[in-house]
Amino acid sequence: MAVEELDGRLAHSTIRPNPGEGAPSLYLSVLSGRHFLQIPGPTNLPERVLRAMDRPVVDHRSPEFAELLPRIVPLLRQVFGTDAGEIIIMSGSGTGGWESALVNTLKPGDRVLACNNGQFGLGFGNAARRLGYEVEELALDWGQEVRPDDLERKLRVTPEVKAVLVVHNETSTGVTSDIGAVRGAMDRAGSEALLLVDTVSSLGSIEFRFDDWRVDVALCGSQKGLMMPPGQAYLCVSPRALDISQNGGGAPRNFLDWAPMLREYARGLFPFTPNTLMLFGLREALTMLVEEEGLPNVYDRHRRLADAVRSSVQAWNLSMMCEKPAYRSNTVTTVLVPDGMDGSAIVEHARSRFNMSLGVGVGQSRQRAFRLGHLGSLNELEVIAMVSGVEMTLREMGLPVSLGAAAAACERSFVAA
Ligand code: PLP
């Protein structure tokens, strides 16, 4: 019997028959159990979040709907680490968040400094360029954090910069930059630029301190640490950025304009038709993160899980793209593959053999790497299953890894912790 005939689901998947002997029985294993979604976002949804969204569509002008925002906004404020910031919730994704941050605060032609230490730093800068801003680039080695000294030096020679664009957690390389240190470098350079920060793969998993670091706009998507499906973007806006936006600053905009959003939010409503059901899910996810587990515990869980993943990578004798341990991300690990090996082939093998999605290398590390996502709704036993799946994949791809090494490394890491 051909594998494709075993179950209708296969016809819609990318799963291909293994040319090796006994292939059908291997592939039978992908028909049961759950898919392991271990890309660095979108992430797995808790059942409770799914159930919260599983309801009839509501009238988005009804009293029932208007109860959602007054509950969600204070919880999102806590996740961003702000008292003073205004929260924006819109349909879209991280890319839409970039655009929203830019067009609400900067006039066409304004000069911005984009910190490029990975694919998303590059992308944030490219978005600004396409929107008509003059983009200066702080070009850094990929795999490196945004170094405050480099930034300070660059700002001293480009004092006219109106905004600094930086990615808190670079999802392509697995590097978390120190945003407090970035703000410190701006202060030392005497820069009055706005600080615009992408928190797409950090928010809700790695601590963010919007007020303490005097961030002007932070932006995020729903589909990573916040344990939500893709489809929404969230921003946090400082009083200064809001003032610029509402008093003639920014670029022409319509859907992305913060002013009508904030006006309507005050009544619990939106100036456009929002993704209503997602908001029920968001209320549930934020309740779980902020009120039940508690943000300090959420951040600590991500650190513990990431430590275990890193100890597994070391057990395989592979290197991480982020060389300096202090900047290694607690949400994504980018693993470099040995010369002659193709990172995408590893990802493809894990998917077809073990029903597990891993991230491919992107940008400069395409083919040279694969990425392990360890964020959102995730626990210790799931991490052990993930690294065991990766280890078996590596072994089947011909890498001399010891079977059981990763699980043992994780267990040591968890039990000692
Ligand atoms: N910024 C970062 C750090 C990301 O990881 C991503 C996507 O993975 C984006 C921006 C783009 O976000 P989206 O794909 O939600 O538009």
Side-chain angles (χ1 to χ4, degrees):
M1 179 168 33
V3 168
E4 285 84 350
E5 289 167 19
L6 293 172
D7 184 311
R9 280 174 298 171
L10 283 182
H12 303 288
S13 79
T14 56
I15 296 168
R16 291 199 303 266
N18 188 339
E21 229 176 74
S25 62
L26 291 180
Y27 282 89
L28 279 172
S29 70
V30 305
L31 299 179
S32 57
R34 73 168 172 91
H35 174 67
F36 265 77
L37 182 66
Q38 297 302 154
I39 54 176
T43 60
N44 299 290
L45 302 195
E47 284 291 322
R48 274 175 59 185
V49 172
L50 272 174
R51 280 201 298 271
M53 293 185 292
D54 183 7
R55 53 191 300 141
V57 172
V58 294
D59 171 1
H60 63 294
R61 308 225 158 259
S62 64
E64 179 195 10
F65 181 79
E67 284 173 8
L68 286 168
L69 275 184
R71 169 99 180 115
I72 287 171
V73 167
L75 294 173
L76 265 181
R77 277 211 172 94
Q78 290 189 56
V79 180
F80 275 109
T82 189
D83 290 323
E86 289 289 354
I87 299 294
I88 299 288
I89 299 177
M90 57 178 243
S91 307
S93 70
T95 310
W98 286 342
E99 191 154 338
S100 173
L102 293 163
V103 300
N104 276 282
T105 57
L106 297 160
K107 287 196 184 310
D110 276 352
R111 180 163 295 222
V112 303
L113 177 60
C115 302
N116 172 2
N117 65 330
Q119 183 68 22
F120 296 103
L122 173 70
F124 199 178
N126 283 342
R129 195 172 288 113
R130 290 191 196 105
L131 289 166
Y133 301 109
E134 289 279 322
V135 180
E136 281 287 334
E137 198 174 79
L138 177 63
L140 298 155
D141 287 339
W142 286 23
Q144 191 183 88
E145 78 284 8
V146 175
R147 284 202 311 235
D149 290 354
D150 292 341
L151 177 63
E152 181 183 343
R153 226 172 291 122
K154 184 80 176 178
L155 282 170
R156 285 188 189 281
V157 295
T158 47
E160 69 282 16
V161 157
K162 293 281 196 303
V164 172
L165 320 186
V166 56
V167 176
H168 183 209
N169 186 73
E170 183 44 77
T171 325
S172 62
T173 57
V175 173
T176 307
S177 290
D178 180 343
I179 301 300
V182 164
R183 168 52 83 187
M186 292 171 67
D187 289 346
R188 284 194 301 282
S191 172
E192 302 214 326
L194 294 166
L195 175 55
L196 312 186
V197 184
D198 170 324
T199 67
V200 172
S201 60
S202 58
L203 198 77
S205 306
I206 299 171
E207 186 178 25
F208 195 76
R209 288 161 51 188
F210 185 90
D211 287 354
D212 290 351
W213 299 334
R214 286 177 289 127
V215 174
D216 289 293
V217 186
L219 63 103
C220 191
S222 50
Q223 73 274 19
K224 300 193 192 241
L226 296 175
M227 311 191 301
M228 286 281 292
Q232 286 182 335
Y234 315 118
L235 293 97
C236 187
V237 179
S238 71
R240 180 178 168 218
L242 191 65
D243 184 54
I244 293 171
S245 168
Q246 297 198 330
N247 291 296
R253 57 197 184 271
N254 175 44
F255 176 67
L256 297 176
D257 193 5
W258 295 336
M261 295 190 203
L262 291 170
R263 249 193 330 266
E264 290 297 298
Y265 294 167
R267 305 192 291 142
L269 304 178
F270 282 74
F272 49 82
T273 310
N275 6 33
T276 44
L277 298 184
M278 284 187 74
L279 291 162
F280 288 94
L282 182 61
R283 180 174 64 180
E284 192 72 10
L286 291 171
T287 300
M288 290 172 74
L289 289 171
V290 179
E291 294 196 336
E292 295 178 10
E293 187 172 359
L295 289 171
N297 295 327
V298 171
Y299 303 143
D300 192 53
R301 170 168 56 85
H302 280 84
R303 182 199 50 74
R304 275 187 292 113
L305 300 181
D307 276 345
V309 171
R310 292 186 278 258
S311 63
S312 302
V313 176
Q314 276 152 0
W316 301 325
N317 277 323
L318 294 178
S319 342
M320 288 164 246
M321 193 158 178
C322 179
E323 280 174 24
K324 293 186 216 153
Y327 297 95
R328 286 184 182 149
S329 166
N330 286 344
T331 62
V332 51
T333 298
T334 302
V335 184
L336 295 173
V337 299
D339 285 346
M341 241 184 148
D342 178 350
S344 311
I346 291 172
V347 172
E348 180 50 35
H349 191 86
R351 178 169 39 223
S352 58
R353 175 72 173 84
F354 295 110
N355 197 15
M356 175 164 66
S357 286
L358 305 176
V360 290
V362 288
Q364 285 180 14
S365 64
R366 194 191 303 272
Q367 317 294 349
R368 287 178 48 224
F370 62 90
R371 293 177 300 146
L372 305 176
H374 34 88
L375 71 165
S377 176
L378 192 69
N379 66 25
E380 294 170 339
L381 298 189
E382 288 167 317
V383 164
I384 291 178
M386 166 178 68
V387 296
S388 293
V390 174
E391 186 171 272
M392 291 188 284
T393 298
L394 295 173
R395 176 73 168 247
E396 289 189 350
M397 301 283 297
L399 225 76
V401 293
S402 306
L403 294 182
C410 284
E411 287 174 25
R412 275 194 297 274
S413 172
F414 293 146
V415 172

